[in-house]
Amino acid sequence: MAGPTSSPVAIVTGASSGIGAATARRLARAGFVVYGAARRADRLAELGDGVHPLVLDVTDDASMVAGVERVLEEHGRGDVLVGNAGYGSYGSVEEVPLDEARRQLETNVIGLARMIQLVLPTMREQGSGRIINVSSMGGRFAGPFGGWYHASKFALEGLSDSLRSEVAPFGIRVSVVEPGAIKTEWGGIATDSAVEVSGDGPYAERVRRMAKGLSSGIERIASSPDVVAKAIEHAATADRPRIRYAIGAGAKPATVAARVLPARVLDALVARGVG
Ligand code: NDP
């Protein structure tokens, strides 16, 4: 057991891949004691010496409780929580089974909220802490066949806004990171789920077109996960962290368009893309 430490301690969920892996490595280089959390222990082991593997599932309460207890026992503090674990469950609202919809919300929203509940008492006692929630540009606007994913990210945006005001008097800052298109395992998981759910049903052709467009778009323009990790490092370390970071390919134009354009114009733009 390492014992209490004076180094800042960060927990990064979804650290076995993509944005979370890049973030865990970056925060370790920046001097944090980093715990990288995910289900796949073998992938966490590949992160190297600077990152402590924390095997947990954000849909399993007992594993989250045990994981956070271990960090607090080993280091006696918790300074940064990066809520990044998540996936894209795609398919039409008509066809995605509600059990899958529940799994999507459980992973992307409830699990993230539970991790926050578990670290907050320590952050309040310390009188400091940073909570950094990884949303998406898809937390600001919604396209077709991503209903439950968008629902989860819109929920995360609202939750984070409430939380920010609640914990500010305790010296705790809350930031939301809204990645654009990023080269990770996310795209494959999202498109596979959409194609599987649509089968040869009434949405199949449009879903296939959407999946092809998403894959080729990611292939052509997507940013490296480290671009997002850099923004997360800023949120973790800057004196004045931003409330929102729209970052990576397409994120700024998409979030600005969602804010300023009328819904009908947005719908027309989406229709041109997916039909
Ligand atoms: P990856 O698929 O590469 O990584 C997702 C991570 O989440 C993995 O480490 C996975 O680990 C973890 N995870 C998934 N389910 C669980 C679970 N039940 N318990 C614990 N960990 C879990 O995707 P990204 O790096 O791209 O995704 C990170 C975040 O960024 C997600 O929230 C995603 O929605 C968001 N995002 C991604 C974008 C992109 O274009 N890539 C765009 C906008 C937002 P394991 O399977 O080992 O548990």
Side-chain angles (χ1 to χ4, degrees), residues 13-21 37-44 54-60 63-64 83-88 103-104 106-108 112 134-139 149 152-153 156 177-187 189 214 218 222-223 225 228 247 249:
T13 68
S16 63
S17 170
I19 293 168
R39 293 165 301 182
R40 288 172 293 177
D42 54 330
R43 295 283 295 266
L44 291 174
L54 196 63
V55 179
L56 62 76
D57 183 335
V58 298
T59 66
D60 174 354
S63 81
M64 287 187 279
N84 163 78
Y87 72 102
R103 192 169 78 97
Q104 173 78 130
E106 194 71 33
T107 306
N108 291 10
L112 172 136
V134 179
S135 173
S136 168
M137 62 181 172
Y149 180 67
S152 76
K153 294 301 188 182
L156 190 159
V177 178
E178 297 164 337
I182 313 295
K183 234 174 230 157
T184 70
E185 294 171 13
W186 183 93
I189 295 169
L214 193 66
I218 289 178
S223 306
V228 184
I247 187 81

Side-chain angles (χ1 to χ4, degrees), residues 6-7 18-19 24 44 73 119 134 141 148 151 156 174 186 196 200 243:
S6 56
S7 302
I19 293 168
L44 291 174
E73 264 171 40
V119 299
V134 179
F141 76 93
W148 289 109
L156 190 159
V174 178
W186 183 93
E196 193 189 326
D200 54 6
I243 289 172

Side-chain angles (χ1 to χ4, degrees), residues 130 173 234 237-241:
R130 305 263 168 119
R173 310 288 194 92
H234 186 273
T237 57
D239 287 342
R240 276 176 60 84

Side-chain angles (χ1 to χ4, degrees), residues 64-76:
M64 287 187 279
V65 170
V68 173
E69 268 176 7
R70 192 190 126 198
V71 175
L72 297 178
E73 264 171 40
E74 290 185 353
H75 291 283

